[in-house]
Amino acid sequence: MHTIIEPFRIKSVEPIEMSTAEQRAEWVAEAGYNLFKLPAQRVLIDLLTDSGTAAMSAAQWAAMMAADESYAGARSWFRFEETVRRVFGFAHVVPTHQGRAAERILFSCTVGAGDVVPNNGHFDTTRANIEYLGGEALDLPCAEAADLTTDSPFKGNLDVQALEKLLIDRADAVPLVMLTITNNSAGGQPVSMANIRAVAELARRFGKPFYIDACRFAENAWLIKQREPGYADLPVPEIVREMFSYADGCTMSAKKDALVNIGGFLCTRDPSLAAREKDLLILTEGFPTYGGLAGRDLDAIAVGLDEVLAEDYLRYRIISTAYVVDHLHRAGVPVLRPAGGHAVYLDAGRFLPHIPPLEYPGQSLAIELYRHAGIRGVEIGTVMAGRDPTTHQERPAVHELVRLALPRRVYTQSHMDYVVEATLEVFGHKESLRGYRITDEPPFLRHFSATFAPLPTR
Ligand code: F0G
């Protein structure tokens, strides 16, 4: 059989409120042409993020009912700790309310002013937490990452030569080395096992701890199984164990590959670091056996971490993303290739060549996908890049993208068909799309709250 079916049946449904293009045109204008400001009820297919938006399984809901809400030493905690240790292989597990809390605690213990943290691609919150401590977040993506159209299998890789040069030149300033798997900033592209191993070896040679940002670890492991010679016959949990065997620790947003709506954790092999992290945890997150989460959240994560490693799930998950990417590509729509894990990235720069970067082609495309079809994605381009912090000048982004992130287990094949059809229709009338100007913007992270106005047609 060629048809890959969703490997689940639906027991509980949430209605989508249907709307017309006329209504949505009014609503998006009311929202200042910023899709973050739309009530979610006014969205038909919400692809704003894959974070915290997963549908939980019956087994997860059942575990939540049976959870233990004791303040200290709850049964739910021990189940969570056992699962994280077994899946990732780290001795010390620190629970946090989401990924950025794990980042803040790790960096507070390791990063100082003037330090530089290399990564294949820092996510916004990772970068912001390093910069907040006076450090520099340095992206070292591999060369292939810059080309949106080539079919290289591991565009998420880190540039190992650049890392070696950094470590030779500025070893004293580097407190730790990081890899983000999959690389969200580079289009959800995976990192190969060979690259993980090479980065770990370099870090070890220079005596630096090596950390993994593990948010989408299962999707990365599946893509290694599919694309890297030697891994096709290994079970996914074994691939995961090997990936993390090279690392000294990890940060995790459970809102992605733990299939839950909230949660995270921080792991290390170093008992004295773990003790310092737990001291900070108590200050802002909570006691070390719950860390800002309810017992029920810990149980849901424990179940989710095993469910996400099921091959039927991962096959369906990655094929859903590839299905949309391949259909759009075959129809001539510029889209980042090859398909990665969690999202489809439309190349708005090539989709709308008549709109210059400072008239925000990504914003224009995202607004039109919403107006035309009720699909909510997010601009990852010049709007999100913001202004230079010293000169306050706008800086055109390297790529003008629209990310359509796919929530886990939420939408079906017919929803994906709708997304393909809608995108093709918008592609069909792309010349009619206009640029935008910003009418109001906050001093930083402007994409969340800026307001826009359409520019007149030329
Ligand atoms: N690291 C990566 C690679 C991420 O993609 C995210 C979140 C985080 C860390 C932070 O985790 O949200 O739990 O604090 N990414 C979401 C997204 C928000 O839409 O890509 P968090």
PDB file of all heavy atoms in Angstrom, residues 48-51 97-101 103 121-126 180-185 213-216 251-256 262-264 342 403 405, ligand 1:
ATOM      1  N   LEU A  48       0.855  28.046  13.366  1.00  0.00           N
ATOM      2  CA  LEU A  48       1.736  29.054  13.952  1.00  0.00           C
ATOM      3  C   LEU A  48       2.938  28.385  14.605  1.00  0.00           C
ATOM      4  O   LEU A  48       4.057  28.872  14.535  1.00  0.00           O
ATOM      5  CB  LEU A  48       0.947  29.849  14.994  1.00  0.00           C
ATOM      6  CG  LEU A  48       1.586  31.109  15.553  1.00  0.00           C
ATOM      7  CD1 LEU A  48       1.843  32.132  14.478  1.00  0.00           C
ATOM      8  CD2 LEU A  48       0.686  31.707  16.631  1.00  0.00           C
ATOM      9  N   THR A  49       2.724  27.262  15.279  1.00  0.00           N
ATOM     10  CA  THR A  49       3.826  26.565  15.938  1.00  0.00           C
ATOM     11  C   THR A  49       3.465  25.098  16.162  1.00  0.00           C
ATOM     12  O   THR A  49       2.282  24.745  16.192  1.00  0.00           O
ATOM     13  CB  THR A  49       4.168  27.217  17.292  1.00  0.00           C
ATOM     14  OG1 THR A  49       5.237  26.484  17.908  1.00  0.00           O
ATOM     15  CG2 THR A  49       2.987  27.247  18.239  1.00  0.00           C
ATOM     16  N   ASP A  50       4.530  24.294  16.311  1.00  0.00           N
ATOM     17  CA  ASP A  50       4.352  22.888  16.698  1.00  0.00           C
ATOM     18  C   ASP A  50       4.647  22.744  18.188  1.00  0.00           C
ATOM     19  O   ASP A  50       4.859  21.642  18.669  1.00  0.00           O
ATOM     20  CB  ASP A  50       5.325  22.003  15.900  1.00  0.00           C
ATOM     21  CG  ASP A  50       6.779  22.310  16.242  1.00  0.00           C
ATOM     22  OD1 ASP A  50       7.110  23.499  16.415  1.00  0.00           O
ATOM     23  OD2 ASP A  50       7.581  21.369  16.363  1.00  0.00           O
ATOM     24  N   SER A  51       4.689  23.850  18.917  1.00  0.00           N
ATOM     25  CA  SER A  51       5.118  23.827  20.317  1.00  0.00           C
ATOM     26  C   SER A  51       3.924  23.904  21.249  1.00  0.00           C
ATOM     27  O   SER A  51       3.188  24.902  21.242  1.00  0.00           O
ATOM     28  CB  SER A  51       6.033  25.025  20.568  1.00  0.00           C
ATOM     29  OG  SER A  51       6.480  25.010  21.899  1.00  0.00           O
ATOM     30  N   HIS A  97       9.474  24.230  33.573  1.00  0.00           N
ATOM     31  CA  HIS A  97       8.125  24.414  33.010  1.00  0.00           C
ATOM     32  C   HIS A  97       8.132  24.448  31.487  1.00  0.00           C
ATOM     33  O   HIS A  97       7.135  24.157  30.856  1.00  0.00           O
ATOM     34  CB  HIS A  97       7.428  25.643  33.607  1.00  0.00           C
ATOM     35  CG  HIS A  97       7.860  26.939  33.001  1.00  0.00           C
ATOM     36  ND1 HIS A  97       8.991  27.618  33.407  1.00  0.00           N
ATOM     37  CD2 HIS A  97       7.335  27.672  32.002  1.00  0.00           C
ATOM     38  CE1 HIS A  97       9.124  28.711  32.688  1.00  0.00           C
ATOM     39  NE2 HIS A  97       8.132  28.772  31.817  1.00  0.00           N
ATOM     40  N   GLN A  98       9.250  24.842  30.868  1.00  0.00           N
ATOM     41  CA  GLN A  98       9.399  24.671  29.416  1.00  0.00           C
ATOM     42  C   GLN A  98      10.857  24.824  29.035  1.00  0.00           C
ATOM     43  O   GLN A  98      11.717  24.941  29.917  1.00  0.00           O
ATOM     44  CB  GLN A  98       8.456  25.577  28.626  1.00  0.00           C
ATOM     45  CG  GLN A  98       8.613  27.071  28.786  1.00  0.00           C
ATOM     46  CD  GLN A  98       7.524  27.823  28.006  1.00  0.00           C
ATOM     47  OE1 GLN A  98       6.404  27.946  28.458  1.00  0.00           O
ATOM     48  NE2 GLN A  98       7.857  28.317  26.824  1.00  0.00           N
ATOM     49  N   GLY A  99      11.158  24.773  27.738  1.00  0.00           N
ATOM     50  CA  GLY A  99      12.554  24.718  27.305  1.00  0.00           C
ATOM     51  C   GLY A  99      13.386  25.910  27.745  1.00  0.00           C
ATOM     52  O   GLY A  99      14.530  25.765  28.189  1.00  0.00           O
ATOM     53  N   ARG A 100      12.812  27.117  27.625  1.00  0.00           N
ATOM     54  CA  ARG A 100      13.600  28.318  27.905  1.00  0.00           C
ATOM     55  C   ARG A 100      14.006  28.409  29.376  1.00  0.00           C
ATOM     56  O   ARG A 100      15.005  29.033  29.711  1.00  0.00           O
ATOM     57  CB  ARG A 100      12.857  29.568  27.432  1.00  0.00           C
ATOM     58  CG  ARG A 100      11.563  29.835  28.121  1.00  0.00           C
ATOM     59  CD  ARG A 100      10.697  30.782  27.313  1.00  0.00           C
ATOM     60  NE  ARG A 100      10.147  30.131  26.120  1.00  0.00           N
ATOM     61  CZ  ARG A 100       9.432  30.764  25.193  1.00  0.00           C
ATOM     62  NH1 ARG A 100       9.195  32.046  25.313  1.00  0.00           N
ATOM     63  NH2 ARG A 100       8.954  30.110  24.148  1.00  0.00           N
ATOM     64  N   ALA A 101      13.229  27.782  30.256  1.00  0.00           N
ATOM     65  CA  ALA A 101      13.597  27.767  31.683  1.00  0.00           C
ATOM     66  C   ALA A 101      14.825  26.877  31.878  1.00  0.00           C
ATOM     67  O   ALA A 101      15.723  27.204  32.659  1.00  0.00           O
ATOM     68  CB  ALA A 101      12.423  27.272  32.520  1.00  0.00           C
ATOM     69  N   GLU A 103      17.081  26.442  29.605  1.00  0.00           N
ATOM     70  CA  GLU A 103      18.185  27.230  29.034  1.00  0.00           C
ATOM     71  C   GLU A 103      18.674  28.267  30.042  1.00  0.00           C
ATOM     72  O   GLU A 103      19.882  28.416  30.263  1.00  0.00           O
ATOM     73  CB  GLU A 103      17.704  27.969  27.768  1.00  0.00           C
ATOM     74  CG  GLU A 103      17.379  27.036  26.611  1.00  0.00           C
ATOM     75  CD  GLU A 103      16.507  27.698  25.542  1.00  0.00           C
ATOM     76  OE1 GLU A 103      16.206  28.914  25.637  1.00  0.00           O
ATOM     77  OE2 GLU A 103      16.095  26.984  24.608  1.00  0.00           O
ATOM     78  N   GLY A 121      22.594  26.448  15.225  1.00  0.00           N
ATOM     79  CA  GLY A 121      21.593  27.501  15.047  1.00  0.00           C
ATOM     80  C   GLY A 121      20.855  27.701  16.353  1.00  0.00           C
ATOM     81  O   GLY A 121      20.093  26.836  16.765  1.00  0.00           O
ATOM     82  N   HIS A 122      21.096  28.839  16.999  1.00  0.00           N
ATOM     83  CA  HIS A 122      20.389  29.103  18.265  1.00  0.00           C
ATOM     84  C   HIS A 122      18.933  29.401  17.986  1.00  0.00           C
ATOM     85  O   HIS A 122      18.619  30.199  17.100  1.00  0.00           O
ATOM     86  CB  HIS A 122      20.974  30.329  18.964  1.00  0.00           C
ATOM     87  CG  HIS A 122      22.334  30.122  19.531  1.00  0.00           C
ATOM     88  ND1 HIS A 122      23.483  30.299  18.804  1.00  0.00           N
ATOM     89  CD2 HIS A 122      22.734  29.738  20.770  1.00  0.00           C
ATOM     90  CE1 HIS A 122      24.540  30.039  19.570  1.00  0.00           C
ATOM     91  NE2 HIS A 122      24.106  29.688  20.753  1.00  0.00           N
ATOM     92  N   PHE A 123      18.033  28.816  18.733  1.00  0.00           N
ATOM     93  CA  PHE A 123      16.647  29.283  18.714  1.00  0.00           C
ATOM     94  C   PHE A 123      16.604  30.635  19.444  1.00  0.00           C
ATOM     95  O   PHE A 123      17.468  30.921  20.268  1.00  0.00           O
ATOM     96  CB  PHE A 123      15.730  28.245  19.393  1.00  0.00           C
ATOM     97  CG  PHE A 123      14.294  28.679  19.365  1.00  0.00           C
ATOM     98  CD1 PHE A 123      13.611  28.748  18.169  1.00  0.00           C
ATOM     99  CD2 PHE A 123      13.645  29.052  20.531  1.00  0.00           C
ATOM    100  CE1 PHE A 123      12.290  29.188  18.130  1.00  0.00           C
ATOM    101  CE2 PHE A 123      12.319  29.485  20.496  1.00  0.00           C
ATOM    102  CZ  PHE A 123      11.646  29.552  19.299  1.00  0.00           C
ATOM    103  N   ASP A 124      15.580  31.463  19.127  1.00  0.00           N
ATOM    104  CA  ASP A 124      15.476  32.836  19.692  1.00  0.00           C
ATOM    105  C   ASP A 124      15.676  32.883  21.204  1.00  0.00           C
ATOM    106  O   ASP A 124      16.372  33.743  21.717  1.00  0.00           O
ATOM    107  CB  ASP A 124      14.095  33.459  19.482  1.00  0.00           C
ATOM    108  CG  ASP A 124      13.507  33.255  18.128  1.00  0.00           C
ATOM    109  OD1 ASP A 124      14.023  32.446  17.353  1.00  0.00           O
ATOM    110  OD2 ASP A 124      12.491  33.919  17.853  1.00  0.00           O
ATOM    111  N   THR A 125      15.031  31.954  21.933  1.00  0.00           N
ATOM    112  CA  THR A 125      15.089  32.033  23.399  1.00  0.00           C
ATOM    113  C   THR A 125      16.473  31.620  23.896  1.00  0.00           C
ATOM    114  O   THR A 125      16.944  32.127  24.908  1.00  0.00           O
ATOM    115  CB  THR A 125      14.030  31.127  24.048  1.00  0.00           C
ATOM    116  OG1 THR A 125      14.250  29.772  23.618  1.00  0.00           O
ATOM    117  CG2 THR A 125      12.623  31.557  23.681  1.00  0.00           C
ATOM    118  N   THR A 126      17.109  30.707  23.165  1.00  0.00           N
ATOM    119  CA  THR A 126      18.458  30.268  23.540  1.00  0.00           C
ATOM    120  C   THR A 126      19.405  31.455  23.377  1.00  0.00           C
ATOM    121  O   THR A 126      20.183  31.778  24.277  1.00  0.00           O
ATOM    122  CB  THR A 126      18.904  29.106  22.626  1.00  0.00           C
ATOM    123  OG1 THR A 126      17.780  28.306  22.294  1.00  0.00           O
ATOM    124  CG2 THR A 126      19.958  28.260  23.284  1.00  0.00           C
ATOM    125  N   THR A 180      21.627  22.049  18.073  1.00  0.00           N
ATOM    126  CA  THR A 180      20.167  22.044  18.146  1.00  0.00           C
ATOM    127  C   THR A 180      19.637  21.023  17.150  1.00  0.00           C
ATOM    128  O   THR A 180      19.907  21.122  15.954  1.00  0.00           O
ATOM    129  CB  THR A 180      19.627  23.453  17.805  1.00  0.00           C
ATOM    130  OG1 THR A 180      20.223  24.384  18.703  1.00  0.00           O
ATOM    131  CG2 THR A 180      18.120  23.524  17.936  1.00  0.00           C
ATOM    132  N   ILE A 181      18.921  20.023  17.671  1.00  0.00           N
ATOM    133  CA  ILE A 181      18.428  18.957  16.783  1.00  0.00           C
ATOM    134  C   ILE A 181      16.906  18.867  16.920  1.00  0.00           C
ATOM    135  O   ILE A 181      16.421  18.777  18.021  1.00  0.00           O
ATOM    136  CB  ILE A 181      19.102  17.611  17.099  1.00  0.00           C
ATOM    137  CG1 ILE A 181      18.754  17.148  18.510  1.00  0.00           C
ATOM    138  CG2 ILE A 181      20.609  17.680  16.962  1.00  0.00           C
ATOM    139  CD1 ILE A 181      19.194  15.753  18.813  1.00  0.00           C
ATOM    140  N   THR A 182      16.202  18.883  15.809  1.00  0.00           N
ATOM    141  CA  THR A 182      16.635  19.354  14.508  1.00  0.00           C
ATOM    142  C   THR A 182      16.913  20.865  14.562  1.00  0.00           C
ATOM    143  O   THR A 182      16.522  21.511  15.533  1.00  0.00           O
ATOM    144  CB  THR A 182      15.535  19.111  13.438  1.00  0.00           C
ATOM    145  OG1 THR A 182      14.329  19.777  13.901  1.00  0.00           O
ATOM    146  CG2 THR A 182      15.202  17.619  13.327  1.00  0.00           C
ATOM    147  N   ASN A 183      17.542  21.409  13.535  1.00  0.00           N
ATOM    148  CA  ASN A 183      17.898  22.819  13.531  1.00  0.00           C
ATOM    149  C   ASN A 183      16.690  23.654  13.073  1.00  0.00           C
ATOM    150  O   ASN A 183      16.454  23.838  11.889  1.00  0.00           O
ATOM    151  CB  ASN A 183      19.093  23.021  12.607  1.00  0.00           C
ATOM    152  CG  ASN A 183      19.661  24.425  12.684  1.00  0.00           C
ATOM    153  OD1 ASN A 183      19.018  25.338  13.197  1.00  0.00           O
ATOM    154  ND2 ASN A 183      20.863  24.598  12.173  1.00  0.00           N
ATOM    155  N   ASN A 184      15.947  24.166  14.058  1.00  0.00           N
ATOM    156  CA  ASN A 184      14.716  24.923  13.782  1.00  0.00           C
ATOM    157  C   ASN A 184      15.026  26.166  12.946  1.00  0.00           C
ATOM    158  O   ASN A 184      14.336  26.452  11.962  1.00  0.00           O
ATOM    159  CB  ASN A 184      14.065  25.301  15.125  1.00  0.00           C
ATOM    160  CG  ASN A 184      12.693  25.924  14.979  1.00  0.00           C
ATOM    161  OD1 ASN A 184      12.127  25.967  13.894  1.00  0.00           O
ATOM    162  ND2 ASN A 184      12.147  26.404  16.067  1.00  0.00           N
ATOM    163  N   SER A 185      16.091  26.886  13.308  1.00  0.00           N
ATOM    164  CA  SER A 185      16.414  28.137  12.601  1.00  0.00           C
ATOM    165  C   SER A 185      16.809  27.875  11.151  1.00  0.00           C
ATOM    166  O   SER A 185      16.705  28.761  10.311  1.00  0.00           O
ATOM    167  CB  SER A 185      17.561  28.873  13.292  1.00  0.00           C
ATOM    168  OG  SER A 185      17.388  28.850  14.676  1.00  0.00           O
ATOM    169  N   ASP A 213      20.405  20.745  22.339  1.00  0.00           N
ATOM    170  CA  ASP A 213      19.038  21.266  22.466  1.00  0.00           C
ATOM    171  C   ASP A 213      18.160  20.204  21.815  1.00  0.00           C
ATOM    172  O   ASP A 213      18.147  20.035  20.600  1.00  0.00           O
ATOM    173  CB  ASP A 213      18.936  22.623  21.762  1.00  0.00           C
ATOM    174  CG  ASP A 213      17.520  23.189  21.775  1.00  0.00           C
ATOM    175  OD1 ASP A 213      16.553  22.406  21.897  1.00  0.00           O
ATOM    176  OD2 ASP A 213      17.363  24.413  21.632  1.00  0.00           O
ATOM    177  N   ALA A 214      17.438  19.454  22.657  1.00  0.00           N
ATOM    178  CA  ALA A 214      16.855  18.176  22.249  1.00  0.00           C
ATOM    179  C   ALA A 214      15.392  18.251  21.791  1.00  0.00           C
ATOM    180  O   ALA A 214      14.789  17.208  21.510  1.00  0.00           O
ATOM    181  CB  ALA A 214      16.957  17.189  23.422  1.00  0.00           C
ATOM    182  N   CYS A 215      14.827  19.471  21.668  1.00  0.00           N
ATOM    183  CA  CYS A 215      13.372  19.630  21.416  1.00  0.00           C
ATOM    184  C   CYS A 215      12.784  18.597  20.446  1.00  0.00           C
ATOM    185  O   CYS A 215      11.748  18.035  20.686  1.00  0.00           O
ATOM    186  CB  CYS A 215      13.088  20.983  20.800  1.00  0.00           C
ATOM    187  SG  CYS A 215      13.523  22.347  21.829  1.00  0.00           S
ATOM    188  N   ARG A 216      13.463  18.416  19.299  1.00  0.00           N
ATOM    189  CA  ARG A 216      12.881  17.561  18.253  1.00  0.00           C
ATOM    190  C   ARG A 216      13.787  16.356  18.007  1.00  0.00           C
ATOM    191  O   ARG A 216      14.065  15.972  16.883  1.00  0.00           O
ATOM    192  CB  ARG A 216      12.635  18.409  16.988  1.00  0.00           C
ATOM    193  CG  ARG A 216      11.668  19.581  17.275  1.00  0.00           C
ATOM    194  CD  ARG A 216      11.417  20.486  16.093  1.00  0.00           C
ATOM    195  NE  ARG A 216      10.489  21.558  16.419  1.00  0.00           N
ATOM    196  CZ  ARG A 216      10.832  22.739  16.939  1.00  0.00           C
ATOM    197  NH1 ARG A 216      12.108  23.029  17.158  1.00  0.00           N
ATOM    198  NH2 ARG A 216       9.904  23.643  17.239  1.00  0.00           N
ATOM    199  N   THR A 251      19.190  20.338  26.948  1.00  0.00           N
ATOM    200  CA  THR A 251      18.010  21.103  27.342  1.00  0.00           C
ATOM    201  C   THR A 251      16.861  20.581  26.500  1.00  0.00           C
ATOM    202  O   THR A 251      17.070  20.158  25.363  1.00  0.00           O
ATOM    203  CB  THR A 251      18.182  22.612  27.066  1.00  0.00           C
ATOM    204  OG1 THR A 251      18.502  22.788  25.669  1.00  0.00           O
ATOM    205  CG2 THR A 251      19.301  23.208  27.898  1.00  0.00           C
ATOM    206  N   MET A 252      15.661  20.598  27.036  1.00  0.00           N
ATOM    207  CA  MET A 252      14.538  20.021  26.297  1.00  0.00           C
ATOM    208  C   MET A 252      13.267  20.832  26.514  1.00  0.00           C
ATOM    209  O   MET A 252      12.924  21.158  27.652  1.00  0.00           O
ATOM    210  CB  MET A 252      14.317  18.578  26.791  1.00  0.00           C
ATOM    211  CG  MET A 252      13.068  17.896  26.265  1.00  0.00           C
ATOM    212  SD  MET A 252      13.255  17.415  24.507  1.00  0.00           S
ATOM    213  CE  MET A 252      11.613  16.720  24.180  1.00  0.00           C
ATOM    214  N   SER A 253      12.582  21.138  25.430  1.00  0.00           N
ATOM    215  CA  SER A 253      11.219  21.648  25.505  1.00  0.00           C
ATOM    216  C   SER A 253      10.301  20.466  25.238  1.00  0.00           C
ATOM    217  O   SER A 253      10.194  20.008  24.095  1.00  0.00           O
ATOM    218  CB  SER A 253      10.990  22.744  24.465  1.00  0.00           C
ATOM    219  OG  SER A 253       9.609  23.012  24.370  1.00  0.00           O
ATOM    220  N   ALA A 254       9.638  19.975  26.266  1.00  0.00           N
ATOM    221  CA  ALA A 254       8.751  18.814  26.122  1.00  0.00           C
ATOM    222  C   ALA A 254       7.531  19.154  25.270  1.00  0.00           C
ATOM    223  O   ALA A 254       6.788  18.264  24.853  1.00  0.00           O
ATOM    224  CB  ALA A 254       8.327  18.315  27.505  1.00  0.00           C
ATOM    225  N   LYS A 255       7.336  20.457  24.973  1.00  0.00           N
ATOM    226  CA  LYS A 255       6.196  20.897  24.165  1.00  0.00           C
ATOM    227  C   LYS A 255       6.317  20.455  22.705  1.00  0.00           C
ATOM    228  O   LYS A 255       5.388  20.631  21.931  1.00  0.00           O
ATOM    229  CB  LYS A 255       6.094  22.431  24.230  1.00  0.00           C
ATOM    230  CG  LYS A 255       5.869  22.933  25.653  1.00  0.00           C
ATOM    231  CD  LYS A 255       5.978  24.443  25.755  1.00  0.00           C
ATOM    232  CE  LYS A 255       4.733  25.117  25.174  1.00  0.00           C
ATOM    233  NZ  LYS A 255       4.743  26.575  25.499  1.00  0.00           N
ATOM    234  N   LYS A 256       7.487  19.928  22.345  1.00  0.00           N
ATOM    235  CA  LYS A 256       7.652  19.409  20.986  1.00  0.00           C
ATOM    236  C   LYS A 256       7.599  17.882  21.041  1.00  0.00           C
ATOM    237  O   LYS A 256       6.520  17.303  21.106  1.00  0.00           O
ATOM    238  CB  LYS A 256       8.978  19.887  20.383  1.00  0.00           C
ATOM    239  CG  LYS A 256       8.952  21.346  19.927  1.00  0.00           C
ATOM    240  CD  LYS A 256       9.202  22.284  21.053  1.00  0.00           C
ATOM    241  CE  LYS A 256       9.453  23.706  20.606  1.00  0.00           C
ATOM    242  NZ  LYS A 256       9.545  24.615  21.766  1.00  0.00           N
ATOM    243  N   ILE A 262       2.734  21.381  27.818  1.00  0.00           N
ATOM    244  CA  ILE A 262       3.665  22.204  28.610  1.00  0.00           C
ATOM    245  C   ILE A 262       4.716  21.295  29.255  1.00  0.00           C
ATOM    246  O   ILE A 262       4.424  20.134  29.545  1.00  0.00           O
ATOM    247  CB  ILE A 262       2.901  23.029  29.690  1.00  0.00           C
ATOM    248  CG1 ILE A 262       3.774  24.153  30.264  1.00  0.00           C
ATOM    249  CG2 ILE A 262       2.377  22.140  30.814  1.00  0.00           C
ATOM    250  CD1 ILE A 262       4.023  25.305  29.326  1.00  0.00           C
ATOM    251  N   GLY A 263       5.914  21.834  29.466  1.00  0.00           N
ATOM    252  CA  GLY A 263       6.946  21.087  30.195  1.00  0.00           C
ATOM    253  C   GLY A 263       8.305  21.151  29.529  1.00  0.00           C
ATOM    254  O   GLY A 263       8.436  21.559  28.370  1.00  0.00           O
ATOM    255  N   GLY A 264       9.313  20.772  30.292  1.00  0.00           N
ATOM    256  CA  GLY A 264      10.673  20.737  29.783  1.00  0.00           C
ATOM    257  C   GLY A 264      11.589  20.108  30.812  1.00  0.00           C
ATOM    258  O   GLY A 264      11.135  19.715  31.888  1.00  0.00           O
ATOM    259  N   HIS A 342       9.449  19.306  11.365  1.00  0.00           N
ATOM    260  CA  HIS A 342       8.230  19.822  11.989  1.00  0.00           C
ATOM    261  C   HIS A 342       7.495  20.868  11.185  1.00  0.00           C
ATOM    262  O   HIS A 342       6.436  21.305  11.613  1.00  0.00           O
ATOM    263  CB  HIS A 342       8.561  20.402  13.362  1.00  0.00           C
ATOM    264  CG  HIS A 342       9.430  21.644  13.297  1.00  0.00           C
ATOM    265  ND1 HIS A 342      10.707  21.641  12.807  1.00  0.00           N
ATOM    266  CD2 HIS A 342       9.174  22.926  13.663  1.00  0.00           C
ATOM    267  CE1 HIS A 342      11.213  22.871  12.880  1.00  0.00           C
ATOM    268  NE2 HIS A 342      10.294  23.662  13.396  1.00  0.00           N
ATOM    269  N   ARG A 403       6.890  30.087   7.853  1.00  0.00           N
ATOM    270  CA  ARG A 403       6.911  28.742   8.412  1.00  0.00           C
ATOM    271  C   ARG A 403       5.488  28.262   8.686  1.00  0.00           C
ATOM    272  O   ARG A 403       4.701  28.947   9.337  1.00  0.00           O
ATOM    273  CB  ARG A 403       7.701  28.714   9.731  1.00  0.00           C
ATOM    274  CG  ARG A 403       7.817  27.294  10.305  1.00  0.00           C
ATOM    275  CD  ARG A 403       8.525  27.260  11.650  1.00  0.00           C
ATOM    276  NE  ARG A 403       7.646  27.679  12.726  1.00  0.00           N
ATOM    277  CZ  ARG A 403       7.941  27.549  14.027  1.00  0.00           C
ATOM    278  NH1 ARG A 403       9.101  27.047  14.406  1.00  0.00           N
ATOM    279  NH2 ARG A 403       7.081  27.946  14.947  1.00  0.00           N
ATOM    280  N   ALA A 405       4.170  25.410  10.635  1.00  0.00           N
ATOM    281  CA  ALA A 405       4.588  24.351  11.563  1.00  0.00           C
ATOM    282  C   ALA A 405       3.421  23.400  11.786  1.00  0.00           C
ATOM    283  O   ALA A 405       2.283  23.838  11.959  1.00  0.00           O
ATOM    284  CB  ALA A 405       5.035  24.961  12.886  1.00  0.00           C
TER     285      ALA A 405
HETATM  286  N1  F0G B   1      14.849  25.358  21.359  1.00  0.00           N
HETATM  287  C1  F0G B   1      14.252  25.207  20.155  1.00  0.00           C
HETATM  288  C2  F0G B   1      15.018  24.589  19.027  1.00  0.00           C
HETATM  289  C3  F0G B   1      12.915  25.606  19.979  1.00  0.00           C
HETATM  290  O1  F0G B   1      12.334  25.444  18.780  1.00  0.00           O
HETATM  291  C4  F0G B   1      12.214  26.178  21.078  1.00  0.00           C
HETATM  292  C5  F0G B   1      10.827  26.614  20.929  1.00  0.00           C
HETATM  293  C6  F0G B   1      12.883  26.310  22.311  1.00  0.00           C
HETATM  294  C7  F0G B   1      14.201  25.881  22.409  1.00  0.00           C
HETATM  295  C8  F0G B   1      12.228  26.915  23.509  1.00  0.00           C
HETATM  296  O2  F0G B   1      11.322  26.053  24.096  1.00  0.00           O
HETATM  297  O3  F0G B   1       9.141  27.282  23.921  1.00  0.00           O
HETATM  298  O4  F0G B   1       9.460  25.378  25.524  1.00  0.00           O
HETATM  299  O5  F0G B   1      10.562  27.545  25.959  1.00  0.00           O
HETATM  300  N2  F0G B   1      10.275  26.771  19.794  1.00  0.00           N
HETATM  301  C9  F0G B   1       8.897  27.137  19.515  1.00  0.00           C
HETATM  302  C10 F0G B   1       8.702  27.332  18.035  1.00  0.00           C
HETATM  303  C11 F0G B   1       8.336  28.232  20.365  1.00  0.00           C
HETATM  304  O6  F0G B   1       7.597  27.787  17.645  1.00  0.00           O
HETATM  305  O7  F0G B   1       9.597  27.001  17.239  1.00  0.00           O
HETATM  306  P1  F0G B   1      10.038  26.600  24.910  1.00  0.00           P
END
